[in-house]
Amino acid sequence: MALQMKAVHLSYVVHVLGVAGAVMVLVWNISFRGGLAWSSDNKNLIFNVHPVLMLIGLVIMGGEAIISYKALPFKKAEKKLIHLILHAIALVLGIIGIYMAFKNHNESGIANLYSLHSWLGIGLISLYGIQWIYGFLVFFYPGGTADLRRESLPWHVLFGMFLYILVVANSALGFLEKLTFLENSGLDKYGSEAFLVNFTAIVAILYGTFVLLTALSRGPEEDNHSYSAI
């Protein structure tokens, strides 16, 4: 059942929060953490790519993909293609982001996959990939039968929402984990960087909340009596 408010109005809040979150994570990692690098003697610069790509990729681009069916004034086929492409971009950025975390750990002699955040991250990126592949094969190309699409759509939507909630939660967990490491290494707990990291996590959570509210709100009139693909 859709919420009795227009999705397009809520989507404006999503876009603003998305831009704010992207700017904040970039400011943190460039201005406070020293910058971004694919390869560097300063291994911290390699790791800095991880939170940037994970937030902009899985959280922000993934959220934009979710609301595309409800917020864009295009035909269904066009929205389906945009939905597919945005999720693909989110998935690729997420994979690269995780690779950069492994690259940093391997080159720094740090153990991999020792935290709940990393365990959830591997599981979520795997499920995200499976969800995308299934959606591509059933709803895009070659496409399943009408019965298969009709029966799969509610589950595709439900699983997509569940997966996205976990993605946002794990991103907040990642900010907490990194900030805890920094504070244990001497970072001022009440300094500007600590506040920036915490507020970035809050913006990510608010962004995810408004993505879900938008997805549950009234879409364009032509889609009012149909499911919305997530």
Side-chain angles (χ1 to χ4, degrees):
M1 180 181 295
L3 299 177
Q4 294 306 308
M5 55 177 56
K6 291 187 176 181
V8 66
H9 295 158
L10 287 171
S11 72
Y12 298 148
V13 181
V14 173
H15 302 324
V16 171
L17 289 171
V19 171
V23 170
M24 292 168 75
V25 76
L26 285 169
V27 168
W28 173 40
N29 286 281
I30 295 175
S31 297
F32 287 89
R33 292 288 94 208
L36 310 171
W38 183 266
S39 180
S40 174
D41 292 333
N42 183 352
K43 304 307 177 185
N44 290 327
L45 302 186
I46 297 174
F47 181 84
N48 291 347
V49 179
H50 172 73
V52 170
L53 293 188
M54 301 312 290
L55 183 65
I56 294 177
L58 289 185
V59 176
I60 296 177
M61 296 300 293
E64 292 290 343
I66 287 174
I67 68 172
S68 61
Y69 269 96
K70 286 293 185 74
L72 296 178
F74 302 138
K75 295 180 180 178
K76 187 173 182 180
E78 296 169 341
K79 290 189 285 189
K80 181 188 293 188
L81 181 61
I82 292 171
H83 176 79
L84 183 75
I85 292 173
L86 289 177
H87 270 313
I89 294 172
L91 180 60
V92 170
L93 292 180
I95 291 171
I96 296 173
I98 290 176
Y99 167 78
M100 296 305 285
F102 275 95
K103 180 179 173 67
N104 165 261
H105 284 197
N106 292 337
E107 295 184 7
S108 302
I110 301 173
N112 290 307
L113 299 175
Y114 59 85
S115 67
L116 176 61
H117 172 67
S118 61
W119 294 0
L120 289 174
I122 293 298
L124 290 172
I125 198 70
S126 300
L127 292 174
Y128 205 107
I130 293 171
Q131 170 86 338
W132 189 88
I133 292 171
Y134 185 83
F136 181 89
L137 295 176
V138 173
F139 300 108
F140 191 75
Y141 183 84
T145 63
D147 287 342
L148 177 61
R149 294 197 304 273
R150 184 174 58 254
E151 292 174 2
S152 296
L153 187 53
W155 293 105
H156 183 67
V157 171
L158 180 63
F159 184 72
M161 281 187 157
F162 173 70
L163 187 58
Y164 186 71
I165 291 170
L166 292 181
V167 164
V168 174
N170 200 41
S171 72
L173 186 61
F175 282 116
L176 172 62
E177 181 180 294
K178 180 62 176 179
L179 183 57
T180 300
F181 289 156
L182 292 174
E183 290 176 344
N184 288 340
S185 299
L187 183 72
D188 184 359
K189 291 181 174 61
Y190 297 99
S192 56
E193 182 175 357
F195 279 107
L196 176 60
V197 175
N198 281 329
F199 277 113
T200 304
I202 290 172
V203 167
I205 293 170
L206 289 174
Y207 178 87
T209 300
F210 276 92
V211 164
L212 295 177
L213 289 175
T214 303
L216 295 172
S217 299
R218 287 194 296 120
E221 292 300 323
E222 62 182 8
D223 290 337
N224 275 352
H225 302 289
S226 64
Y227 286 102
S228 298
I230 300 298

